[in-house]
Amino acid sequence: MTTNPAEVTLTTPGSARAQRIVAGAAIVAVVPAMVWLVFSDQPWWAIALWEFGLLVVLFGMLAIWSTAAESAKETVALRAKGTIVVAEVLDSTAHDDGEGVSHELTLWIPSGGGFEVHHRCGHYSGEQHLHVLVDPVVRTWGVVH
């Protein structure tokens, strides 16, 4: 049994597959670009900057590739054993980053003796209750948007 409740990002197998396809296509494009840059006529410092930028993109795409499948597996497991409950929103804090607003929510999930969790998303519109899929035995949960 997990002592701390773990949030599962609810992902369908199709969505995970699409994420892996996009990440794979980006990886396939970035690797040859990195090789090509080494043999280009640009100054060494420009090559180093480009290589660093492409390396960051490569690691980001590898992270998406690996986490997409894991999120889908966790979602399947949660849907198999979890139940939908209504969680109470105890607190919400809006964060405006200039491009959009996300909300940091504190939720009370009344399952398995009840427990408090934190969730961050851009889907919140002031509701006092949210539907949550929860498995109280292993204490995993995911907000149903």
Side-chain angles (χ1 to χ4, degrees):
M1 180 166 140
T2 306
T3 55
N4 293 324
E7 182 174 12
V8 172
T9 303
L10 299 180
T11 307
T12 64
S15 174
R17 188 172 24 261
Q19 290 175 31
R20 292 188 85 182
I21 288 170
V22 169
I27 291 167
V28 167
V30 166
V31 171
M34 292 179 79
V35 172
W36 175 81
L37 273 171
V38 171
F39 299 107
S40 70
D41 292 338
Q42 296 183 35
W44 69 268
W45 56 268
I47 293 172
L49 286 174
W50 276 107
E51 292 286 344
F52 177 72
L54 290 173
L55 193 61
V56 169
V57 170
L58 181 67
F59 282 127
M61 293 299 110
L62 287 170
I64 290 172
W65 174 274
S66 65
T67 60
E70 186 63 30
S71 293
K73 287 177 189 173
E74 290 174 348
T75 299
V76 167
L78 183 57
R79 287 191 196 278
K81 296 188 178 186
T83 58
I84 298 276
V85 297
V86 177
E88 181 182 354
V89 178
L90 300 176
D91 186 37
S92 68
T93 306
H95 299 279
D96 187 351
D97 65 2
E99 292 184 16
V101 177
S102 64
H103 296 272
E104 179 81 29
L105 305 175
T106 303
L107 305 173
W108 177 257
I109 299 177
S111 183
F115 51 95
E116 186 176 297
V117 296
H118 298 279
H119 173 68
R120 188 174 186 128
C121 70
H123 304 294
Y124 183 68
S125 59
E127 308 92 88
Q128 290 303 306
H129 297 90
L130 295 174
H131 288 92
V132 176
L133 183 61
V134 62
D135 183 352
V137 175
V138 294
R139 293 174 58 101
T140 57
W141 60 278
V143 175
V144 180
H145 289 291

